[in-house]
Each structure stands twice: as structure tokens, then as C-alpha cells.
Amino acid sequence: MIPFQYARANDVADAIKQIATDPSAKFIAGGTNLIDLIKYDVEGPSRLIDISHLPLRSVEPTSAGGVLIGAMVPNTDLAYHPLIEQRYPLLSRAILSGASQQLRNMASTGGNLLQRTRCFYYYDTATPCNKREPGSGCSAIDGVNRINAILGTSEACIATHPSDMCVALAALEATVHVAGPAGARTIAFADFHRLPGNTPQRDTNLEPDEIITAIELPPKGFSANYSYLKIRDRLSYAFALVSVAAALELDGDTIKEARLALGGVAHKPWRSTAAEAALLGQRTDAAAFAKAADWLLHGAKGYGHNNFKIGLARRAIIRTLGQAARGTPQSNSDKKIR
Amino acid sequence: MARSGAANRVTRMATAPEKIPIRLTVNGNHMELTVAPWTTLLDALRDHLDLTGTKKGCDHGQCGACTVLVDGRRINSCLTLAVMKQGAEIITIEGLAHDGELHPLQQAFIDHDAFQCGYCTSGQICSAAGLIAEGKAKTADEIRELMSGNICRCGAYPNIVAAIQQAKERS
Ligand SMILES: Cc1cc2nc3c(=O)[nH]c(=O)nc-3n(C[C@H](O)[C@H](O)[C@H](O)COP(=O)(O)OP(=O)(O)OC[C@H]3O[C@@H](n4cnc5c(N)ncnc54)[C@H](O)[C@@H]3O)c2cc1C
Ligand code: SF4
Ligand code: FES
Ligand code: FES
């Protein structure tokens, strides 16, 4: 691998100080994305600041009735935590649908948010890519773009954000707690990831010298009516082509509140207020779900190889809403989609 | 910000990276070694400690051949920096047998013919040891799902699942 220096951060303040004094340094948590990218020479930090030992490993109820998750909590521990399994099973299922158990054991809550796209060209340093090398061009727009985005794209980049966990966090309206030289602040989940626009090299609104310290979940977990459906080329250990997080609050079979987020289709987890509003007051039937799907996919555009994603997403949304309404969430081990 | 390229890096590196001394407990033995910061745990085991039972398949987290147990949990050693595991307890395939007796998983893999070329096997067995310790897989479907991080190019999957079921029942 390519040479870099290594230092351990003693505490959050030390981590911020270290990153602020060396703009070419990077934090490392689980390492499952960063080490991979360094091996491909896509990332080239001069120094890695090890934050994996910071005491940000607790999952605790908040006084507001939600849950605060430390940024270093491994994905597995979060998915199996009783508070999450019982109150936010949508999050638990989404996490367990991603990667493999070995990777989930390593991956951190904060790192999951900051994983980079899996666009083939981003990984291939022999090809132009605006995300990797701003201004060099986008190879995917006219290239092999089967896995690329259909919503919120720009001329500069049609990459997707690959996380499953983030799709659930978007639907649950989590908040990201960050800290930097200017102090601590919180970022609403919807404002955390960015659309590519003219700056596809920036995935998020986190500043380079800021660290994620925690993720906060609001009280509402939708534990009765939810489902996470992930469609991919293999039944496990593969990134989503399309994924859907659906969460409903019902009064009989009338929808009182709806949350709907898509993964694998955009530069960030994709939501639409119009789609969620269209479900309010409706009966839980296929016609209402189809209408919401059309709103959520409003403006979707294929780039050739990925045209199939539009129809696939529409059907997946309808299925997932049905699973949520029936209270029969998609199982991660029984692969049949009912 | 994305910035990349080996060329940029050279100018940024003020001083040459130093090798770092680390202590690991590997299969119950205390080991002291000195590694470059970019040495993966996989390379430390194979090249520094001559424990070549742990295999390098993809070197990118995509196959599971490099699976070992760190502090009792299964991980991919190819995406783990050795320097980040200072003081950790590592179990590799070489550490599973005790007093000349095979680990129940090793015996079960033989009983069920759960391999052909054998390249994925040490990763499969270490991963299965992690899976049994986790206690989350009850059915064959759940074993398949929670073992999906271990690819077998020979396609020995049905026998691998049967072997794990046998070892699970006897553990
Ligand atoms: C083969 C493979 C398959 C995968 N499949 C899936 C999948 O199906 N679904 C899915 O969702 N994911 C998948 N993943 C991705 C995996 O979930 C991510 O790599 C992981 O979540 C990243 O977390 P980490 O702690 O390892 O991050 P790291 O690699 O340590 O860091 C990633 C980035 O985040 C920064 N960073 C980390 N923590 C912080 C922090 N607290 N504050 C500020 N910056 C920080 C680092 O500097 C780095 O730039 C897969 C990965 C692999 C290798
Ligand atoms: S889609 Fe984005 S990441 Fe992929 S090649 Fe184009 S600019 Fe690069
Ligand atoms: S060698 Fe580590 S996962 Fe393939
Ligand atoms: S036995 Fe050959 S790869 Fe599994």
C-alpha cells in the first residue's frame, strides 16, 4: 500500500486539533472504505488519525425520548442493540441488509455516512471522474451506468450514495451531531448529504476539519408498520440497485403519517414531501401506493443502462409500502419478496 | 474534499513515515513486531508472523478469505491496519485446534466435505466460529445470510452450511 503516517487521537478535541493542523490528513474509523480507497490510490492521505478508540461507543436514550448513538458504535452492535431492535427495527433491518457480518463488525456509525460512491469510474484512476478529479469529466454519463443515479443528478456526476443505513436514517429523520474547531453543531439528516451539482467532489456538508460525534434518533420509530426492501444482483453481500425504506403510522387502514426513502437511486437518500403527503388520509391500498411512487419518482431520468431502475423502483415502493401496511417487514434471511 | 494521486502525496509527506512497534496476542502467544503504518493485519500475520493459514483472496473486503477473530469478533484482516489493533487478541485458523484435537468446526468441515480447493476454508471456518459466538443464526437460511461474507469459488456452500449446522448443534 501507499505510505502514510499514523497517529492515534486521544479524545475528540485532540482529533479536531490534529485534523485542523494537517489538511491532507484523514480520520480512520472502521477503515472498511478508506483502506480500500487507499489501496486503489483513489484516496491519498499523508496521515491517518485513528479515531476508532474514542469513547463514542454508547447507545443511550435521550431526555427528549429518542436515542443517541455514538459515532464509533459498530454497525453490528447498533443493529442488534435492544433499543434499536425494539423501537427502530427499520434501522436494524437496513443495517443488516448491508455488506457482510465481518464488515458490519468493523464499520462505524459515523463512517457509514461518509462512505464514498461505488461508481466504477470513481474507483478506476485511469478514467476521468469529476468526483475524484474535479473538472476531468464524468465517464459514467455515457458509459456503463447500470448502477448509477436516476434522480437529483447533474451534468457533472450521476453517482449514488451506497449506504443502506442512511436510507433508514433519512426516513427516521435523524440528526447528525458534529464537532469542529468552531464548536459543536447539529445537521438534520436531509441536509447532511448533498446533491452533486457542480461540486460532486463534496458528498456532504461536513467540513473537512469536523468530526461526527453522534447520530440522534427522534422518539418516533414506526416499529409497528415498517419495511426495508433491498433489490440487488445477489441475494446478499451486494450493494442496492434500488432500496426502499417505508414507515407508516396507521389508524385502522387509514394512513396518519408516512415516511418513504429510496436508496441506490441518487447522490443521497431520496425523499419527497409530495409523495409522503399524498399518502396522508389514504387507505392502505395499491392505488394510493402507486400514486406515492409516482410522486417520489417524479423527474426520474435514466442514462441508458440504468433505465430499468425507474420501473424497478416504482414496483419496489409499492411492495414495500404494502409490507409496511400489513406489518410484515421484508426478512433479511428468507429472500422471498411477499 | 476528494484529492488523490501518489504524486500529490510525496510533496505532502514532511518526514518519512516511521515503523511502529506493536504488541498482539496471536493464538494465545504474545507477539511483538514492528510494522509500517500501512501494513494490514493480513500482511502482518502472513509476512511478519509466518501464519499463512489466513488467505488473501481479493484484498478488498469482497471475499472473506482473510477472516480472523479479533477480540472474539470476525473481521476482514485485509481492510484492518495492524497498528490499529495494538494489544488485541487475534485468533487465526492456526489457533482453533487444541492439544492436537481439531476444533468442532474443522472436524465438521471434514465430515461434510465442505471444501474443494480449500482456499476459502480457513476464512469460512473462522467466520463460522464468529457466527456461532454471535448466536444470531438459528435456521439454515440465517446461516446462509450471516455467512454471505465468505465467498466459495468452488461452490461448496450446501456442505459448508451442513458443517456449520453440525458444529452449532455440538457446541
Ligand atoms: C465489499 C463491501 C461491501 C459493502 N456493502 C455494503 C452494502 O451493501 N451496504 C452498505 O451500506 N455499505 C456497504 N459497504 C460499505 C460499508 O458499510 C462502509 O465501508 C462502512 O460503513 C464505512 O465505515 P467505516 O467506519 O469503516 O469507515 P472508514 O473507512 O473508517 O471511513 C470512511 C470515511 O469516513 C471518514 N470518517 C469515519 N468516521 C468519521 C467520523 N466520526 N467523523 C468524520 N469523518 C469520519 C473517514 O475519514 C473516511 O473518509 C460495503 C463495503 C465493502 C468493502
Ligand atoms: S458519476 Fe460521478 S463518480 Fe461516477 S464517473 Fe461520473 S463524476 Fe465520477
Ligand atoms: S482478502 Fe480480505 S475479504 Fe478478500
Ligand atoms: S473450496 Fe475452493 S473456494 Fe471454497
Side-chain angles (χ1 to χ4, degrees):
Chain A
M1 222 194 300
I2 298 136
F4 50 78
Q5 310 208 23
Y6 168 85
R8 220 182 237 214
N10 299 320
D11 50 38
V12 171
D14 181 40
I16 296 167
K17 203 177 90 199
Q18 288 200 43
I19 201 106
T21 50
D22 185 353
S24 58
K26 288 220 125 203
F27 291 133
I28 183 161
T32 59
N33 192 222
L34 187 52
I35 298 295
D36 195 28
L37 291 169
I38 294 173
K39 286 186 181 187
Y40 280 114
D41 202 17
V42 174
E43 290 278 11
S46 61
R47 169 194 296 268
L48 289 185
I49 302 164
D50 181 357
I51 56 173
S52 69
H53 304 275
L54 296 183
L56 303 170
R57 284 189 174 252
S58 63
V59 178
E60 281 166 7
T62 63
S63 53
V67 171
L68 193 69
I69 304 157
M72 289 309 135
V73 174
N75 287 182
T76 327
D77 295 22
L78 183 57
Y80 293 134
H81 195 284
L83 271 178
I84 305 301
E85 277 189 332
Q86 286 155 26
R87 291 184 48 200
Y88 307 91
L90 174 66
L91 178 57
S92 186
R93 295 280 175 110
I95 294 171
L96 293 176
S97 77
S100 67
Q101 194 79 332
Q102 288 98 314
L103 289 160
R104 293 189 292 264
N105 277 340
M106 303 166 72
S108 66
T109 303
N112 193 304
L113 270 60
L114 296 171
Q115 61 175 300
R116 310 300 308 270
T117 186
R118 307 304 285 205
C119 175
F120 305 135
Y121 302 100
Y122 175 70
Y123 267 81
D124 181 357
T125 55
T127 60
C129 167
N130 287 325
K131 188 181 280 299
R132 179 168 31 77
E133 213 68 65
S136 63
C138 171
S139 300
I141 284 193
D142 296 315
V144 178
N145 50 37
R146 185 169 177 275
I147 68 168
N148 290 73
I150 52 171
L151 286 158
T153 55
S154 72
E155 291 288 296
C157 179
I158 58 169
T160 64
H161 191 261
S163 168
D164 291 293
M165 184 178 97
C166 289
V167 182
L169 290 175
L172 292 169
E173 299 191 338
T175 309
V176 187
H177 290 236
V178 311
R185 64 180 178 125
T186 57
I187 308 172
F189 207 81
D191 301 328
F192 187 78
H193 295 98
R194 297 159 58 98
L195 289 180
N198 290 323
T199 52
Q201 68 273 24
R202 281 201 74 178
D203 291 352
T204 71
N205 287 317
L206 187 76
E207 296 300 331
D209 54 5
E210 284 181 315
I211 183 171
I212 299 176
T213 54
I215 307 288
E216 185 173 347
L217 295 172
K220 231 176 206 174
F222 301 91
S223 58
N225 293 96
Y226 72 93
S227 187
Y228 187 76
L229 177 61
K230 179 175 178 179
I231 313 281
R232 44 192 155 170
D233 284 329
R234 295 192 297 220
L235 289 176
S236 186
Y237 200 16
F239 287 94
L241 288 166
V242 166
S243 71
V244 188
L248 299 172
E249 200 183 315
L250 301 178
D251 183 359
D253 64 353
T254 304
I255 300 170
K256 281 178 62 193
E257 188 169 356
R259 302 277 180 83
L260 200 49
L262 288 183
V265 297
H267 207 252
K268 59 191 286 187
W270 193 256
R271 281 182 71 192
S272 142
T273 29
E276 292 170 20
L279 287 166
L280 296 189
Q282 301 297 308
R283 304 281 289 275
T284 54
D285 58 33
F289 299 158
K291 213 171 266 173
D294 290 336
W295 275 113
L296 191 54
L297 291 166
H298 181 75
K301 177 180 171 207
Y303 289 85
H305 295 105
N306 68 352
N307 293 353
F308 75 98
K309 280 194 180 184
I310 301 174
L312 180 63
R314 188 171 186 278
R315 294 188 296 276
I317 294 164
I318 296 169
R319 277 295 179 108
T320 316
L321 281 167
Q323 293 175 333
R326 291 194 306 273
T328 54
Q330 178 63 39
S331 153
N332 275 328
S333 49
D334 171 7
K335 300 293 178 177
K336 291 208 179 61
I337 300 171
R338 298 193 164 87
Chain B
M1 285 289 291
R3 40 158 176 64
S4 56
N8 302 348
R9 187 173 310 106
V10 178
T11 52
R12 277 204 200 94
M13 196 88 68
T15 50
E18 271 174 42
K19 290 200 169 184
I20 297 172
I22 54 169
R23 280 174 298 102
L24 301 171
T25 305
V26 183
N27 300 330
N29 303 313
H30 296 285
M31 301 284 193
E32 294 191 7
L33 57 161
T34 303
V35 296
W38 54 90
T39 307
T40 60
L41 179 60
L42 175 59
D43 289 342
L45 291 170
R46 290 180 55 87
D47 300 343
H48 292 249
L49 300 176
D50 281 332
L51 291 168
T52 54
T54 307
K55 301 302 178 198
K56 184 182 283 191
C58 63
D59 212 20
H60 288 283
Q62 299 182 1
C63 76
C66 65
T67 304
V68 299
L69 299 165
V70 175
D71 296 330
R73 293 159 68 107
R74 47 178 165 154
I75 56 120
N76 303 96
S77 60
C78 71
L79 292 184
T80 302
L81 295 180
V83 289
M84 290 176 70
K85 295 299 160 198
Q86 187 72 265
E89 212 160 290
I90 321 273
I91 306 280
T92 69
I93 189 70
E94 289 93 340
L96 287 179
H98 275 301
D99 303 326
E101 205 175 309
L102 292 180
H103 185 278
L105 274 163
Q106 291 172 309
Q107 188 58 53
F109 268 61
I110 294 170
D111 295 348
H112 289 271
D113 213 4
F115 41 74
Q116 289 182 39
C117 77
Y119 200 81
C120 70
T121 310
S122 42
Q124 299 278 3
I125 291 178
C126 285
S127 185
L131 171 132
I132 292 172
E134 289 155 14
K136 298 290 179 188
K138 308 233 156 36
T139 64
D141 274 352
E142 286 166 352
I143 293 175
R144 273 188 281 275
E145 171 61 20
L146 292 173
M147 285 296 293
S148 72
N150 294 82
I151 308 279
C152 175
R153 271 348 220 163
C154 299
Y157 298 113
N159 297 6
I160 293 171
V161 173
I164 295 171
Q165 276 178 310
Q166 172 182 314
K168 224 166 66 67
E169 278 155 23
R170 296 187 186 167
S171 70

